[in-house]
Structures are given as structure tokens and as C-alpha cells.
């Protein structure tokens, strides 16, 4: 391990099982002696969203919710604000696991645009977040891939069983979830920003083997897929 920890991002559709994977992976990493920190985006406990929504209401951000770029900027500002915290976490840990990061903005945003605009959009997100805002660059992405119908079933089940949980507008749009899954696959194939490993979210993931690979006992990118 170097002086600064590895930033490992977990991505996937709602209901792909990101939280279950992050829990298992963080336990497996700790069992191997790694110091692990976790975080998730968007940060619902930060007031930056409320502030931006107020700006939108006063016309300072235009028609925010209808604007893919406007919504993306809101999510990106949340990550920019979290930058110092993330850097501090990276200084003090071997691995920082992040549930959703800039790739979520790329995938969900591109899925809302015409296919012809998707490539330009994901580059815009990369430049905005890693260039202009200078947020920490991930060392690795883990994509939990599941058929969108499976993800939708799981998300619906979670909604029935978790008190107080409501669907956001993205979760209610089945077509959007399907397109988002396709964009994610493209980002992984293109190694967008950092290497990606595609994990089979239906068959399940061997968290201990994955932890070993992430800790450099085996090169992660040499063995894509099939957790
Ligand atoms: N989402 C999340 C984005 O569109 N862009 C982002 O940058 C992030 C972090 O917000 F549908 C979308 C993905 C999802 C919704 O996320 C809320 P969670 O993981 O369900 O809280």
C-alpha cells in the first residue's frame, strides 16, 4: 500500500446490490488488515442539494429537473464539496469504497439524452468533474451488472420492505434503467477514467477474492468479470 489509499467506486442500477456488495467487500478488506472507509453519493445528509433546489426555484438554474446538464451539475457540485473529505479519507485509509460516483452522472445523464449525444456528454462529465472540479480520480470501478428487470424487481421489493423509502423519478422509469445499464456497459468497455471490473450481480460475487485482488495480491484489471 502506498501513502494514499485506493479509491474504489461501486456502480450499477438501483437494485443491482451495490450496498450488499459494499458491505461484504468492506468486511473482507478489513479481515485482510486493510483500513477501509466508505461513503455514498448523492449525500442526502448535506444541505448542498437543498440550496441548489432553492436556486432552481428562484430561476437561477433554469428548469433544473428537465435539464440533464443542470441535474448533472447538481450531483457534480455535491462531489466537489465532498472532495476535501474524500482526500482526508484517502490519506487515512488503504481503501475508500464509494457507492456511486461521477460514473453515475455519466451513465444516468447519457441515458436521458439521444444516443448520438451520449459520447460527448460522458466526456463533458469527465472534464467537469475531474478537470474543472478536480475531484479525486478513482483507481478502480466495480460494475455490478444485472439485467434491468432483476434490478427493478429488487428495487420494488426494497421499496415494499423498507419503511419510508420512496422511488425517485429515475427509479420509476424502466426505460431509463435499461438505457442506463447499456451506458454503464459502454463505460466499462471503454475503461472510462479508470479500469472497470464487471461483476455478475445475479450469480453473486466472491467478496474475499475481490478483496485480495483490490489489495494488489492479484492485479484487478488482469481478470475482468465473474467476481
Ligand atoms: N444519480 C446519482 C445520478 O443521476 N447522478 C449522480 O451523480 C448520482 C450520484 O440518482 F437514480 C442518480 C442515480 C439514482 C439516483 O441515487 C439516486 P441512489 O443511489 O438511489 O441514492
Amino acid at each position: 500500500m502506498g501513502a494514499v489509499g485506493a479509491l474504489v467506486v461501486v456502480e450499477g442500477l438501483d437494485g443491482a446490490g451495490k450496498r450488499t456488495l459494499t458491505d461484504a467487500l468492506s468486511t473482507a478488506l478489513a479481515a485482510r488488515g486493510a483500513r477501509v472507509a466508505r461513503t455514498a453519493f448523492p449525500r442526502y445528509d448535506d444541505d448542498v442539494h437543498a440550496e441548489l433546489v432553492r436556486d432552481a426555484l428562484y430561476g437561477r438554474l433554469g428548469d433544473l429537473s428537465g435539464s440533464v446538464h443542470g441535474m448533472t451539475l447538481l450531483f457534480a457540485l455535491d462531489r466537489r464539496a465532498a472532495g476535501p473529505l474524500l482526500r482526508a479519507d484517502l490519506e487515512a485509509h488503504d481503501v475508500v469504497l464509494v457507492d456511486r460516483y461521477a460514473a453515475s452522472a455519466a451513465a444516468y445523464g447519457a441515458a436521458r439524452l439521444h444516443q448520438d449525444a451520449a459520447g460527448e456528454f460522458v466526456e463533458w462529465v469527465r472534464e467537469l468533474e475531474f478537470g474543472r472540479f478536480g475531484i479525486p480520480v478513482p483507481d478502480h470501478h466495480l460494475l455490478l451488472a444485472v439485467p434491468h428487470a432483476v434490478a427493478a424487481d429488487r428495487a420494488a421489493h426494497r421499496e415494499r420492505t423498507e419503511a419510508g423509502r420512496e422511488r425517485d423519478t429515475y427509479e420509476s422509469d424502466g426505460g431509463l434503467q435499461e438505457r442506463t445499464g447499456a451506458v454503464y456497459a459502454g463505460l466499462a468497455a471503454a475503461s472510462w477514467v479508470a479500469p472497470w471490473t464487471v461483476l455478475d450481480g445475479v450469480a453473486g460475487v466472491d467478496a474475499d477474492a475481490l478483496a485480495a485482488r483490490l489489495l494488489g495480491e492479484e492485479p484487478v484489471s488482469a481478470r475482468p468479470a465473474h467476481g
Side-chain angles (χ1 to χ4, degrees), residues 71-81 105 128-129 133 135:
M71 288 292 280
T72 304
L73 181 62
L74 189 155
F75 286 115
L77 285 168
D78 180 31
R79 278 183 287 275
R80 182 176 73 163
L128 176 73
E129 302 220 25
F133 288 173
I135 64 167

Side-chain angles (χ1 to χ4, degrees), residues 85-144:
L85 295 171
L86 264 182
R87 283 200 181 80
D89 272 346
L90 286 164
E91 293 283 337
H93 298 85
D94 299 305
V95 179
V96 177
L97 289 177
V98 182
D99 185 335
R100 293 197 184 284
Y101 202 53
S104 278
Y108 281 84
R112 290 177 68 196
L113 295 169
H114 191 276
Q115 219 177 331
D116 293 348
E120 195 179 316
F121 179 79
V122 301
E123 278 314 302
W124 180 78
V125 173
R126 181 215 288 265
E127 171 51 29
L128 176 73
E129 302 220 25
F130 300 107
R132 187 157 185 180
F133 288 173
I135 64 167
V137 176
D139 293 283
H140 206 91
H141 293 100
L142 301 171
L143 174 60
L144 252 186

Side-chain angles (χ1 to χ4, degrees), residues 142-184:
L142 301 171
L143 174 60
L144 252 186
V146 293
H148 65 95
V150 172
D153 277 354
R154 289 186 190 164
H157 175 76
R158 193 178 56 191
E159 192 186 341
R160 284 194 302 273
T161 53
E162 281 180 26
R165 198 179 183 290
E166 284 175 48
R167 281 178 174 219
D168 58 45
T169 54
Y170 289 1
E171 283 172 304
S172 320
D173 182 343
L176 176 69
Q177 296 291 331
E178 183 172 6
R179 292 192 301 281
T180 303
V183 181
Y184 267 136

